[in-house]
């Protein structure tokens, strides 16, 4: 999720350390107290809201805005968190991954962005280590247009992105790109997939290099580990 009001990037004077100074609209990037991503190193194991994926739609568009590649989906696919429905808007990637587990930096991360009727956002994070190639990531790569381009795409079904296990880490956070808006419900899946080195190189080449925001302070927030 991004805004083009003021140009930003991942390196130099437009990089993450400076986002909050680039625009008043981006002030949460430096002033927020519930920012994402985070290093998931301390968490409580407890009963949390159950999650359910009810995905039935197909991709409609693939967009490369220079920061990442988005796959947009037709309506009708929902993530339910404790019974509250959030409709799937789209999927995009970061490489290296943004969230960490006990300090481990992942090769890539997919974000499945959802929105409820009242405008609230819930984002699912899928983490990937380097290893065997991922068919899921390959579908995104095959659909990806060049930077600045948008193309019609029927590259896959939303159901392809449903994880096999529903164990997750949950916490309250923000968008990981400007304007870094808070109030985002994060669901980071505990199971980890793999991507090949070739796929990782291709992901970063699409955006001219790494496109991950560094981890942010957890502060007073509670992270929960929930069994699916």
């Amino acid at each position: 999720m991004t805004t083009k009001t003021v140009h930003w990037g991942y390196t130099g004077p437009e990089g993450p350390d400076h986002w909050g100074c680039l625009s008043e609209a981006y002030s949460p990037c430096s002033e927020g107290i519930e920012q994402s991503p985070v290093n998931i190193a301390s968490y409580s194991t407890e009963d949390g809201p159950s999650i359910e994926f009810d995905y039935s739609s197909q991709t409609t568009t693939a967009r490369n805005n220079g920061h990442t590649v988005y796959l947009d989906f037709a309506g009708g696919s929902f993530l339910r968190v404790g019974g509250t429905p959030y409709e799937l808007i789209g999927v995009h990637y970061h490489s290296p991954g943004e969230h960490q587990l006990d300090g481990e930096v992942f090769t890539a991360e997919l974000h499945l962005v959802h929105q409820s009727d009242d405008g609230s956002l819930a984002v699912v994070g899928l983490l990937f280590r380097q290893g065997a190639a991922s068919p899921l990531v390959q579908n995104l790569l095959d659909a990806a247009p060049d930077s600045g381009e948008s193309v019609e795409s029927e590259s896959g079904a939303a159901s392809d992105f449903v994880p096999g296990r529903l164990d997750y880490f949950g916490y309250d956070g923000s968008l990981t790109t400007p304007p870094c808006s808070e109030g985002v419900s994060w669901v980071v899946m505990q199971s980890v997939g793999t991507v090949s080195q070739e796929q990782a190189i291709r992901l970063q080449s699409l955006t001219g290099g790494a496109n991950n925001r560094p981890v942010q302070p957890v502060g007073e927030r509670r992270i929960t580990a929930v069994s699916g």
Side-chain angles (χ1 to χ4, degrees), residues 45-63:
T45 302
E46 58 186 74
D47 292 335
S50 62
I51 60 172
E52 177 187 358
F53 291 86
D54 182 10
Y55 281 7
S56 59
S57 56
Q58 300 284 322
T59 55
T60 59
T61 308
R63 299 180 286 120

Side-chain angles (χ1 to χ4, degrees), residues 89-130:
I89 300 172
V91 175
H92 64 271
Y93 75 89
H94 296 272
S95 181
E98 297 198 303
H99 286 90
Q100 298 177 12
L101 297 182
D102 293 319
E104 179 180 358
V105 178
F106 293 89
T107 306
E109 181 173 346
L110 295 181
H111 288 168
L112 285 56
V113 182
H114 309 76
Q115 189 171 44
S116 68
D117 287 343
D118 66 3
S120 300
L121 295 177
V123 183
V124 174
L126 304 180
L127 301 172
F128 295 83
R129 296 185 178 99
Q130 186 168 308

Side-chain angles (χ1 to χ4, degrees), residues 103-174:
E104 179 180 358
V105 178
F106 293 89
T107 306
E109 181 173 346
L110 295 181
H111 288 168
L112 285 56
V113 182
H114 309 76
Q115 189 171 44
S116 68
D117 287 343
D118 66 3
S120 300
L121 295 177
V123 183
V124 174
L126 304 180
L127 301 172
F128 295 83
R129 296 185 178 99
Q130 186 168 308
S134 165
L136 189 63
V137 171
Q138 191 59 47
N139 285 343
L140 184 150
L141 288 170
D142 291 343
D146 293 334
S147 181
E149 294 187 359
S150 176
V151 296
E152 293 184 2
S153 174
E154 297 180 356
S155 58
S159 58
D160 295 339
F161 292 87
V162 177
R165 295 177 55 189
L166 298 184
D167 301 338
Y168 72 92
F169 298 103
Y171 77 99
D172 295 329
S174 72

Side-chain angles (χ1 to χ4, degrees), residues 203-218:
L203 286 172
Q204 294 192 25
S205 72
L206 286 168
T207 51
N211 67 340
N212 62 317
R213 186 190 193 189
V215 292
Q216 304 297 303
V218 174

